[in-house]
Amino acid sequence: MSSTREERVDNALQQLLERLVPSQLPDEDEAHADQRWDEANELARDLLDREPEPGVADDVNQAADLIKRRLVREGGGPERASAFGNLYSRLLSQPVLDKKWGILYFLWKLTEGEDVNGSAGARSNGMGNGARHSVDGIDLTRRQRDGKDEQESVYDEAFARNGLPRMQRVDEVSSPRQPPIRERLAPGRPKPPSQEQTVDTQAEQDISSGDVAPSEAALLRDMPFTLQGLSSTYLHFTDHSSLKLPHMLPVPLISLLHSLAEPSLLYRSLSQFVESSDGGLVGQSLRSAIGLELRSYLGLIATLEGQIRRALAQLDDKLPRGGLDKAGVTLKRCVIWTREATLGLRLMSMVVESAKSKKGGELISLIHNLATSHGDAFVYTFAERLLTNITRPFYNMLRAWVYDGELEDPYREFFVSENTDYEDSGATSVWESKYLLRDEMIPSIITSDFAHRVYLIGKSLNFIRHACHDSAWVEAYSKEASRELVYGDTANLGQSIDEAYKTVMARLVWLMETKFALAEHLAALKKYLLLGQGDFVALLMESLASNLDRPANSQHRHTLTAQLEHAIRNSNAQFDSADVLRRLDARMLELSHGEIGWDVFTLEYRMDSPLDVIVTPWASKQYLKIFNFLWRVKRVEFALSTTWRRVQTGSRGVLAKVSDKLGADWKSARLGLAGMVHLVDQLQYYILFEVIEASWSGLQKAIHNPASGTVTLDTLISAHTAYLRSITRKGLLGGAGGVDFTAQLHELLKLMLNYRDAVDGLYSFSVAENAKREEMSARIETRTRAGRWGLTEADEEDTGSPGFGGTSTGGGRSKTGAGVTESPIPSLLSLGGGTGPDAERNMLEQLRQRLRSLEADFKARVNVLLGDLAYQPDVDMRFLGVVMNFNDVYNPTRRRRQKPESKGKADAGKA
């Protein structure tokens, strides 16, 4: 590469010497011509190889201006100056030539006949009047120019696109020989500069080093470069945040340069920000927007540079300050012209500094707040212009989310983000956990309600596509409704979002109601798990009663399933759809020691995707909780009803025969049973009708006529959740008002079952007593017919007087009789003391004592329950207490909850 460059330099130098140095003058021998050629070549080589003077500044514009002035002063007129300007433009367009200033300076010196190596410090018009070298034997081109036309041709040829043409020698026409290519001579020792050259060089070095203050014209010449963040002759950038000014400047110029240094430094810092690649899509849009503003700023600088050049071309050395004031361009006017641009650069710099730790919606909010919170019209317009470009990625993400249900956010800048901890476990997880709404990323250009709607639209589309498997509709909707969203078009944006919201929500609700039969499944849950299908529940309980009385570990799944199918086939449940019956199943809960079948049996209704987004796992647990409670209440009601029927039937038969001995006991037992049956009936009525039916009506109203006006999947979920919460709260399954009604009711139900067992024991005792009497009557009748005494002393000792009633005397005889020999119901209590009269009396007393204690405990617990219900804020719960105690048979008492300290003191006192 270096050899090629040297060859080009040699060829150009040969052509230049052939053009400037005549090959052979008239009356000149060949030896003298060769000597003159060698001296010219040596001089040219010396000039090329000599190191440039440090004081000479390369300024192509200054050299061009000086040549134009010389052309005007020599009488060429503006035509020659214009022709030179065209040639100068063509010279600047040549990319090969990198020493344009040296070419112009060399040509300008040739026109003066001066030494081209003259010092710049003493040039006239800024280029200097260096000492001229007299070169023997060298006749410069100026002597060859004999007229104006010849001089113009020289200029044209000098700036020709193909370079300088070769000048033919005088004898070339007659002789075809080519001029020999001279060998490159070693550069000679440069001559020491003259004293005038030394003074001029020292002056130029003083200006460049700052010892001598530059003129305002020189500063104006450097100003376009400085405003673009480039170092110039007198204004150097030491780093990206500082600009070094020349010394010895007057204070006014320093003040002006300080004002002009601000946009220069701001431009440098902003250029570095634009060239960086950090941040997300919105951050890159911010860089693009700032880049557009910087290009506009460069357009202003280009216009300012044109004005400065025209002004400098009109300077006159004879006028004060070179006529700069009359030229129309000064540093003060540059400050005025760049004032608005400086304000814009200042705003952009402030935005860049504030946006370092922000992205996405936060960055948009930052610039939007700048527009809305500032009263200056310029600041508002500037911020709005930035927002137009910055919000494009945001609206592209918004469009993809609203019309496709897809999240195109690689840098997590959107206010909707995908949950990284999401695990696909059904439709519930898809709807609840797959996407999250980040409030901190919601830009201030939209409201929170608007953002929530957008979040629901995209989430619903994604749910329709992946959970409902209806991607064909989503694609068709996207093609039909998709439109471009831009900043500033608020009316169309709001209308587009409203239309998309209504369309997507209507489609999703339609799919849930028709394709997946949501209403049918919710009704099935109410009928089977909330015991709304009465005939099915009664038949199921009757068929399972004998099995569920056995221990839990003896229960079998196939037995329970068979009984469930039997109840379905023999009730109105058989008319339900096959899909509903397929989901209904019987199963057992976790077994514990000592439990029976009633404690572990439960019904299950399986919900699959996408219905499990409404009947969530939490909702399934609530249904199970309600079913277990209602099933226990139903079991107690079934047991009490069975015992009541037996007692009422026996009162006209067996129990009437022993009424002289157990009449008072049965009267008290029937009163206790009646109170318990009444309590259970009122509790069932309240839960099934006042709670479940009322909550069901509220659910239907919330689904079909929501308060928001538009039915969404969130509306269905919230309505169903409120439905279950209402049942658990008002159905005494939650801690309403800090009272645990569930525990109280479970204790009451246990007491009722224990009381039922005691009544069954009394019934067994009554049957046994009646059997004894029937047997004794048969003996007496048989003995009487045989002519013997019907009752002997041995019989009296065996049976005792209690066998004939608790009040009969020693000779009393019973005249009743019909023949039952053995009770069909086994005795609940063991005799413990044998089979004599004492054992029977002890057993009866135990039964009486147990019935009295259970009844007293029952009344005490009911009093506490009624006292708690009386102070509940819900009117239906208070009314339940009223109907349970409509005849004031109970005395409601409100418990006083002692503080732990007082309770501890009381316990210590008892100890």
Side-chain angles (χ1 to χ4, degrees):
M1 184 69 181
S2 59
S3 61
T4 303
R5 179 177 178 84
E6 291 178 358
E7 291 177 359
R8 290 175 55 195
V9 172
D10 291 340
N11 294 334
L13 184 60
Q14 292 294 329
Q15 293 178 12
L16 182 62
L17 291 177
E18 290 174 2
R19 183 63 182 263
L20 298 179
V21 180
S23 60
Q24 188 173 1
L25 297 177
D27 301 334
E28 185 181 17
D29 56 358
E30 185 175 356
H32 189 271
D34 291 340
Q35 181 181 0
R36 183 166 50 81
W37 177 274
D38 293 338
E39 291 177 353
N41 190 14
E42 182 181 357
L43 177 61
R45 291 291 180 181
D46 183 39
L47 293 176
L48 290 176
D49 296 337
R50 182 179 302 177
E51 293 293 332
E53 291 290 339
V56 178
D58 297 347
D59 195 341
V60 65
N61 296 325
Q62 183 182 12
D65 292 342
L66 292 176
I67 293 175
K68 283 184 181 180
R69 293 178 190 175
R70 179 172 293 278
L71 292 176
V72 173
R73 285 198 303 268
E74 290 180 355
E79 294 80 7
R80 295 185 61 187
S82 177
F84 173 76
N86 295 332
L87 296 173
Y88 172 65
S89 300
R90 291 166 61 185
L91 175 65
L92 292 180
S93 64
Q94 295 293 328
V96 179
L97 303 176
D98 55 354
K99 298 292 185 180
K100 298 179 178 64
W101 174 85
I103 295 172
L104 294 177
Y105 180 62
F106 178 74
L107 294 176
W108 181 76
K109 281 298 183 180
L110 288 178
T111 58
E112 291 186 341
E114 299 176 354
D115 180 14
V116 295
N117 195 29
S119 175
R123 301 173 196 166
S124 63
N125 296 331
M127 299 281 287
N129 293 320
R132 301 180 180 179
H133 291 277
S134 58
V135 182
D136 296 340
I138 298 178
D139 191 4
L140 297 178
T141 309
R142 189 175 181 184
R143 299 176 183 176
Q144 303 292 328
R145 299 171 183 170
D146 296 330
K148 178 178 181 181
D149 296 337
E150 183 177 351
Q151 187 175 7
E152 290 181 358
S153 64
V154 170
Y155 278 105
D156 294 339
E157 293 174 356
F159 292 99
R161 183 176 297 275
N162 296 327
L164 294 172
R166 179 187 173 199
M167 178 179 288
Q168 297 181 352
R169 297 191 181 186
V170 178
D171 56 352
E172 189 174 357
V173 179
S174 58
S175 177
R177 70 180 182 89
Q178 298 293 331
I181 299 177
R182 313 292 182 179
E183 294 182 358
R184 183 176 181 182
L185 302 177
R189 183 183 182 88
K191 298 181 180 180
S194 61
Q195 183 178 2
E196 185 179 357
Q197 282 182 308
T198 304
V199 174
D200 294 342
T201 303
Q202 184 66 31
E204 184 175 339
Q205 292 178 355
D206 292 341
I207 293 177
S208 61
S209 62
D211 295 338
V212 178
S215 62
E216 186 174 357
L219 295 175
L220 277 175
R221 188 178 295 109
D222 292 347
M223 194 51 58
F225 304 98
T226 304
L227 292 175
Q228 297 179 59
L230 302 175
S231 297
S232 58
T233 305
Y234 303 110
L235 301 174
H236 300 277
F237 288 94
T238 57
D239 53 35
H240 69 280
S241 61
S242 60
L243 176 65
K244 183 179 181 181
L245 301 179
H247 300 290
M248 307 300 292
L249 286 176
V251 175
L253 284 181
I254 293 179
S255 176
L256 296 175
L257 290 178
H258 281 172
S259 300
L260 293 172
E262 181 182 4
S264 306
L265 296 173
L266 291 176
Y267 177 82
R268 284 173 64 92
S269 62
L270 291 174
S271 298
Q272 293 179 356
F273 173 75
V274 171
E275 293 172 359
S276 62
S277 59
D278 298 335
L281 297 178
V282 178
Q284 295 174 14
S285 297
L286 176 63
R287 289 178 174 81
S288 176
I290 292 178
L292 291 176
E293 296 295 331
L294 293 183
R295 281 194 285 274
S296 301
Y297 170 77
L298 291 179
L300 172 65
I301 300 305
T303 304
L304 183 62
E305 182 180 5
Q307 295 289 337
I308 292 175
R309 284 187 178 183
R310 282 192 290 270
L312 293 179
Q314 299 175 5
L315 293 181
D316 189 359
D317 297 338
K318 298 179 180 179
L319 297 176
R321 299 178 58 193
L324 189 62
D325 295 335
K326 294 183 178 180
V329 179
T330 60
L331 290 176
K332 183 178 293 185
R333 291 190 178 182
C334 290
V335 172
I336 296 173
W337 290 339
T338 58
R339 179 173 297 172
E340 187 172 342
T342 303
L343 180 57
L345 293 173
R346 192 182 301 160
L347 289 175
M348 287 187 288
S349 178
M350 181 184 66
V351 169
V352 169
E353 290 296 327
S354 302
K356 287 183 178 179
S357 60
K358 300 182 183 299
K359 64 178 183 178
E362 297 175 333
L363 184 56
I364 295 176
S365 299
L366 172 67
I367 302 176
H368 183 256
N369 292 335
L370 179 65
T372 56
S373 62
H374 207 286
D376 193 349
F378 173 79
V379 176
Y380 172 79
T381 306
F382 185 82
E384 288 289 320
R385 191 165 62 248
L386 285 181
L387 281 175
T388 303
N389 296 321
I390 293 174
T391 53
R392 287 176 183 172
F394 172 79
Y395 281 105
N396 290 336
M397 299 177 200
L398 182 64
R399 188 204 59 78
W401 178 252
V402 169
Y403 294 114
D404 297 328
E406 299 295 338
L407 189 60
E408 298 179 356
D409 184 19
Y411 297 98
R412 299 178 64 86
E413 298 176 292
F414 200 51
F415 57 84
V416 178
S417 64
E418 188 170 0
N419 188 7
T420 55
D421 300 332
Y422 160 73
E423 295 181 359
D424 191 359
S425 58
T428 302
S429 61
V430 173
W431 182 261
E432 297 289 344
S433 306
K434 187 175 182 180
Y435 295 103
L436 302 175
L437 179 63
R438 297 190 296 170
D439 295 334
E440 69 276 6
M441 281 295 176
I442 298 178
S444 58
I445 58 177
I446 61 176
T447 61
S448 298
D449 181 67
F450 184 88
H452 185 69
R453 284 197 168 198
V454 171
Y455 171 67
L456 284 181
I457 292 172
K459 190 168 67 168
S460 301
L461 286 174
N462 191 274
F463 187 80
I464 293 173
R465 184 193 299 271
H466 298 288
C468 299
H469 308 290
D470 194 11
S471 57
W473 181 87
V474 176
E475 294 176 359
Y477 162 76
S478 177
K479 293 179 181 179
E480 179 183 357
S482 181
R483 64 185 66 180
E484 185 179 2
L485 304 178
V486 295
Y487 173 75
D489 195 1
T490 307
N492 291 334
L493 177 62
Q495 182 180 0
S496 301
I497 296 302
D498 290 341
E499 293 176 357
Y501 182 76
K502 294 178 181 178
T503 303
V504 174
M505 295 301 114
R507 177 66 181 184
L508 180 55
V509 173
W510 181 85
L511 286 174
M512 300 298 289
E513 292 181 351
T514 58
K515 183 177 179 180
F516 301 104
L518 173 64
E520 182 180 2
H521 292 298
L522 290 179
L525 286 168
K526 175 177 175 289
K527 288 194 297 183
Y528 298 115
L529 295 190
L530 302 185
L531 307 186
Q533 190 75 25
D535 57 342
F536 165 78
V537 174
L539 188 58
L540 180 65
M541 186 161 289
E542 289 178 1
S543 61
L544 288 175
S546 58
N547 291 327
L548 297 182
D549 285 332
R550 298 198 302 265
N553 55 9
S554 64
Q555 304 295 326
H556 301 285
R557 179 73 177 273
H558 63 275
T559 304
L560 301 178
T561 305
Q563 296 298 333
L564 175 63
E565 292 178 356
H566 169 73
I568 291 174
R569 287 194 303 268
N570 293 277
S571 65
N572 287 330
Q574 62 181 320
F575 301 108
D576 283 337
S577 64
D579 183 44
V580 170
L581 298 179
R582 176 181 60 84
R583 297 171 184 269
L584 188 62
D585 192 14
R587 67 183 182 91
M588 294 183 294
L589 301 175
E590 295 181 1
L591 303 180
S592 299
H593 179 70
E595 291 184 339
I596 62 176
W598 291 103
D599 299 325
V600 297
F601 173 79
T602 185
L603 287 181
E604 180 184 21
Y605 193 87
R606 293 186 295 270
M607 300 292 288
D608 51 11
S609 179
L611 292 178
D612 58 351
V613 72
I614 296 177
V615 185
T616 60
W618 173 86
S620 299
K621 292 180 181 179
Q622 296 300 311
Y623 276 114
L624 180 61
K625 179 180 179 181
I626 297 171
F627 172 79
N628 290 334
F629 175 71
L630 292 177
W631 183 253
R632 185 170 298 183
V633 174
K634 202 71 178 177
R635 174 205 173 187
V636 172
E637 188 259 346
F638 177 77
L640 292 178
S641 298
T642 304
T643 302
W644 180 262
R645 286 195 304 268
R646 182 184 298 118
V647 170
Q648 292 300 103
T649 304
S651 64
R652 296 187 294 270
V654 177
L655 301 184
K657 296 177 182 180
V658 295
S659 60
D660 55 340
K661 182 178 179 180
L662 302 174
D665 298 326
W666 278 112
K667 180 179 180 180
S668 175
R670 278 193 292 268
L671 287 175
L673 279 176
M676 294 179 184
V677 169
H678 170 74
L679 183 68
V680 171
D681 289 342
Q682 293 300 325
L683 182 61
Q684 279 195 105
Y685 172 83
Y686 169 75
I687 295 176
L688 293 177
F689 294 97
E690 298 293 340
V691 177
I692 295 180
E693 290 296 333
S695 301
W696 177 259
S697 177
L699 174 63
Q700 298 299 315
K701 182 179 179 181
I703 290 177
H704 296 96
N705 298 308
S708 60
T710 303
V711 181
T712 65
L713 190 59
D714 277 340
T715 304
L716 301 178
I717 295 173
S718 60
H720 185 256
T721 303
Y723 164 69
L724 292 178
R725 291 187 185 278
S726 175
I727 293 176
T728 54
R729 180 181 59 84
K730 298 178 64 175
L732 307 179
L733 295 176
V739 180
D740 189 3
F741 288 107
T742 305
Q744 294 186 42
L745 291 174
H746 284 175
E747 292 297 329
L748 282 173
L749 295 177
K750 288 180 181 179
L751 280 175
M752 293 178 189
L753 292 176
N754 293 333
Y755 192 81
R756 188 278 311 261
D757 293 338
V759 172
D760 288 342
L762 182 62
Y763 189 85
S764 300
F765 184 84
S766 300
V767 172
E769 181 68 23
N770 181 60
K772 289 181 181 181
R773 291 186 180 188
E774 292 288 342
E775 183 181 0
M776 184 59 65
S777 297
R779 286 180 185 179
I780 294 173
E781 184 177 357
T782 301
R783 289 173 184 176
T784 302
R785 288 178 182 177
R788 294 180 298 171
W789 292 99
L791 186 64
T792 63
E793 293 180 359
D795 294 332
E796 292 179 357
E797 291 177 0
D798 292 339
T799 59
S801 58
F804 298 94
T807 59
S808 59
T809 58
R813 296 177 178 155
S814 175
K815 296 182 179 180
T816 62
V820 179
T821 61
E822 188 175 353
S823 173
I825 302 177
S827 176
L828 183 64
L829 299 175
S830 61
L831 296 177
T835 58
D838 294 337
E840 292 181 0
R841 282 193 296 269
N842 291 335
M843 181 179 179
L844 181 59
E845 288 299 326
Q846 289 178 8
L847 287 173
R848 289 172 177 172
Q849 183 179 359
R850 188 181 183 199
L851 287 171
R852 286 194 298 267
S853 63
L854 289 175
E855 186 175 358
D857 193 8
F858 173 77
K859 288 185 178 181
R861 291 184 180 277
V862 171
N863 289 334
V864 174
L865 175 64
L866 295 178
D868 292 336
L869 288 175
Y871 293 96
Q872 290 301 311
D874 188 82
V875 63
D876 293 331
M877 298 179 70
R878 296 199 302 269
F879 186 72
L880 173 63
V882 173
V883 297
M884 285 182 175
N885 191 27
F886 71 98
N887 55 357
D888 293 333
V889 68
Y890 303 108
N891 296 317
T893 57
R894 188 179 185 185
R895 292 178 298 178
R896 292 183 179 181
R897 294 173 177 80
Q898 297 180 352
K899 296 182 179 179
E901 297 180 358
S902 60
K903 186 176 180 180
K905 292 179 181 179
D907 295 340
K910 291 180 181 180

